[in-house]
Amino acid sequence: MRKREHVIPLRLNKKELAYLEKQVAMSQMPREEYLRALVMGGEVRARPCTHHADLLRKVSGLCNNANQLAHVANSTGFAGRQSVDEMTRIAREVWRAVKEQW
């Protein structure tokens, strides 16, 4: 037995249907799920591109490396030239990755 027993017919013109289909495709949700989310007041957003998750992982890893370098500099009270150069390299790499992929 179905949990959702109420059916609501909906008539759309070509323009409305095309817009709905475009929104559903961007959300990557089934049409019924998309419409239910709208009815329940939820905010439906387009699913981010697959390269966004990869970029965020890369940025996170680079930031972790920078944080480790900063931790060493804080614990020793000294930031050597090599650490500063490494931090600068990491910052440039993050900027380049964001600029190229976003």
Side-chain angles (χ1 to χ4, degrees), residues 20-74:
L20 174 62
E21 293 298 334
K22 180 181 173 186
Q23 298 302 310
V24 167
M26 286 184 353
S27 72
Q28 295 184 345
M29 297 167 70
R31 187 187 312 171
E32 285 188 17
E33 187 178 335
Y34 177 85
L35 291 171
R36 271 192 221 102
L38 288 177
V39 168
M40 297 304 291
E43 186 177 339
V44 180
R45 298 183 194 166
R47 187 170 282 192
C49 299
T50 54
H51 74 276
H52 287 171
D54 183 49
L55 177 61
L56 289 175
R57 266 191 303 281
K58 287 178 182 176
V59 169
S60 177
L62 293 170
C63 290
N64 284 338
N65 291 346
N67 191 35
Q68 290 172 359
L69 291 171
H71 180 71
V72 169
N74 285 332

Side-chain angles (χ1 to χ4, degrees), residues 76-93:
T76 62
F78 175 75
R81 186 76 205 145
Q82 185 180 3
S83 293
V84 172
D85 290 344
E86 183 67 10
M87 293 279 278
T88 304
R89 185 194 66 74
I90 289 171
R92 283 191 181 124
E93 192 172 335

